[in-house]
Amino acid sequence: LDWTRKHGFARDRAEFLDGVNCVAAPILNQHGKAVAALTVTGPSNRFPLKDLNANGEIVREHCLKISQRLGYIVK
């Protein structure tokens, strides 16, 4: 959880389901509380470990934009 808080997104490196990788980030409301999340999941041969951090950053950035439209203000 410390890594996820620091980077703003989570990774699943086939821990839940063998051969499937995921990244996810929260969508926050105007109070900074998570109200939803966006996740991207794919088979490890098309969504390899080497790309997880870059893809996680993309998901995090888009979640931040959605959060801002819901009234979240970046501090």
Side-chain angles (χ1 to χ4, degrees):
L1 289 175
D2 290 335
W3 189 97
T4 299
R5 281 188 194 98
K6 179 180 176 183
H7 292 89
F9 65 92
R11 305 173 298 186
D12 178 345
R13 298 168 292 182
E15 291 111 349
F16 182 71
L17 189 59
D18 193 36
V20 177
N21 295 325
C22 313
V23 293
I27 295 172
L28 309 173
N29 67 12
Q30 69 272 21
H31 305 292
K33 302 292 182 188
V35 294
L38 178 64
T39 184
V40 177
T41 303
S44 57
N45 64 330
R46 295 181 61 196
F47 200 52
L49 290 176
K50 69 178 182 66
D51 296 335
L52 280 188
N53 286 349
N55 288 321
E57 282 295 324
I58 293 168
V59 170
R60 185 192 62 75
E61 290 170 13
H62 284 281
C63 285
L64 180 58
K65 289 177 185 178
I66 295 168
S67 296
Q68 290 173 318
R69 291 191 68 173
L70 293 175
Y72 177 69
I73 298 172
V74 179
K75 297 175 185 173

